[in-house]
Amino acid sequence: MTSTHAFWLAGRQATGETAFDVTSPWDGRVVGAVSVPTDAQVEEAVAAAYAVRDEFAATPAHVRAAALDHVSRRLAERTEEIARVISAENGKPMKWARGEVGRAVSVFRFASEEARRFNGGEAQRLDTDAGGQGRLAFTRRFPKGVVLGIAPFNFPLNLCAHKVAPAIAAGAPIILKPAPATPLSALVLGELLAETELPAGSWSILPVPNDRMPALVQDERLPVISFTGSEKVGYAIMDSVPRKHCTLELGGNGAAVVLADFASDEDLDWAASRIATFSNYQGGQSCISVQRVIADASVYDRLLPRIVAAVEAQVTGDPSDDATDVGPLVSEDAARRVEEWVQEAVEAGATLVTGGKRDGASYAPTVLTDVPADVTISCEEVFGPVLTVRKVHGEEEAFAAVNDSKYGLQAGVFTHDLQTAFRAHRALEVGGVVVGDVPSYRADQMPYGGVKQSGVGREGVRFAMEDYTYERVMVLTGLAL
């Protein structure tokens, strides 16, 4: 019999009246059961967070930093165990699951460092104008209030870390709502937080069903919402609470541009390898996975067969096997949707070069060429292991192709030319440009987020802390400056 995992209510374990099973997308087995909080328990968590907000904001930096340090260390100590939890509930291959734990270790370490140096205060002299003589302004940042963090399934530990760690570092209480498909990793994170001395109420982890979220989103005691997930849901949240502060990390259809100067055999081998790996890692279920390859005509004919060979070399199968590169999607429904989008593209005239086969929740790594611009897979985020390859003529056409999208999260530009790199940085309508590599690179301390329909605001520990806080000015009068 599968044991039922308790959730975390104001820092302590609790159970509700019902539970749901968490199943493996690879083989359908039940990997855990999770207790569901009642409405009364959700209210208790919100009330506790609201009540402790002033106390938590005033908690000394060293206390918050020590707690974050502790979580970072404990994640590192339990890497293998937690990676297996991620792989079991998400279907992520172990090599990527271990990497996700390593990233979460860094996120909490970065947050500990930022807790010690954030909000040191800034002085500004005001006697630059006659009316300010003898006056000095001093500015500090204070939490906006309780944060409601809503995390997705594709990085069930690290994207929870990106909600929780900056909130604790900034002194903002947080209520975390993990994805229904992958709550186990978040609950393990709760175990580590419970080992710290953070004030009761400063954090809760509540596996609330999606259909009960509107009331929580609307609650006026939760003035900050940090959401990572689909464009549709993210903007529905923002539209429903226009007076709240929302950070939305939404979709993308990441482009990798290979320009004419990136033309040696070594260059093209590198580009093909990186493109193949990062169009398929996490089963393509990453908002910065490579979905579109835009190749200059001078390198296209040499690049395409390299990409196909590298894609076909990806090892697919059991995510618990260390040799596996590509596991299943999060559900069979997700794989069916990808299958339908590929079929639509082929029926509209696209060429299926490799892949295009589904087996349950698994979908074979796929490459398409000659894809019409108006089919779904050209316009939307596929969130699956599918890659389209397009030929263009010159830099200007390549950059225009990147921008011909409602999304603007990140782009990769394979070039050796520094001037081209700066032109790409100026021209591309995205939140991040990665030069010499795919768009799938993210350092957890850098500002991360998109433009257009890829969202608003930025993650990355310090940048999230700024999002969770506001500036408050104190003016000192009668000073001899």
Side-chain angles (χ1 to χ4, degrees), residues 107-262:
V107 168
F108 277 91
R109 186 182 73 250
F110 295 146
S112 174
E113 294 166 355
E114 291 295 347
R116 292 182 169 94
R117 62 177 170 241
F118 185 76
N119 196 26
E122 179 179 339
Q124 181 182 14
R125 60 185 305 158
L126 302 177
D127 61 356
T128 52
D129 183 83
Q133 188 169 335
R135 297 176 186 266
L136 179 73
F138 186 73
T139 304
R140 294 172 60 194
R141 300 191 71 90
F142 293 86
K144 294 173 179 173
V146 184
V147 177
L148 174 60
I150 306 172
F153 68 81
N154 57 327
F155 289 86
L157 178 69
N158 196 44
L159 291 183
C160 288
H162 270 287
K163 308 298 182 192
V164 173
I168 292 173
I174 181 165
I175 293 175
L176 176 70
K177 189 269 189 196
T182 56
L184 301 178
S185 302
L187 296 178
V188 173
L189 181 58
E191 292 178 23
L192 308 186
L193 288 166
E195 296 170 355
T196 71
E197 297 181 359
L198 293 172
S202 60
W203 62 274
S204 292
I205 300 176
L206 305 179
V208 178
N210 290 343
D211 61 4
R212 287 172 52 200
M213 282 303 294
L216 202 51
V217 167
Q218 294 283 342
D219 196 305
E220 293 182 357
R221 295 167 294 179
L222 310 176
V224 179
I225 297 177
S226 178
F227 171 85
T228 302
S230 73
E231 168 198 351
K232 179 180 178 181
V233 175
Y235 283 120
I237 288 173
M238 176 176 276
D239 290 344
S240 73
V241 286
R243 290 182 175 86
K244 290 195 178 190
H245 179 89
C246 294
T247 296
L248 305 180
E249 299 297 340
L250 307 178
N253 54 2
V257 177
V258 184
L259 293 175
D261 71 293
F262 214 80

Side-chain angles (χ1 to χ4, degrees), residues 303-380:
L303 177 64
L304 178 59
R306 284 174 161 88
I307 290 175
V308 173
V311 166
E312 292 177 342
Q314 297 287 302
V315 178
T316 62
D318 186 345
S320 67
D321 188 335
D322 283 350
T324 298
D325 298 311
V326 186
L329 276 71
V330 73
S331 68
E332 189 166 341
D333 285 345
R336 284 199 189 98
R337 177 189 55 76
V338 173
E339 181 181 43
E340 290 169 0
W341 288 14
V342 171
Q343 184 176 348
E344 176 202 19
V346 171
E347 290 174 353
T351 301
L352 178 63
V353 182
T354 190
K357 297 179 181 178
R358 181 181 66 83
D359 181 9
S362 296
Y363 196 80
T366 297
V367 177
L368 297 167
T369 59
D370 308 310
V371 181
D374 59 348
V375 299
T376 306
I377 215 162
S378 291
C379 304
E380 302 293 339

Side-chain angles (χ1 to χ4, degrees), residues 19-35:
F20 65 92
D21 288 337
V22 179
T23 58
S24 164
W26 168 245
D27 55 16
R29 65 189 170 90
V30 176
V31 297
V34 174
S35 187

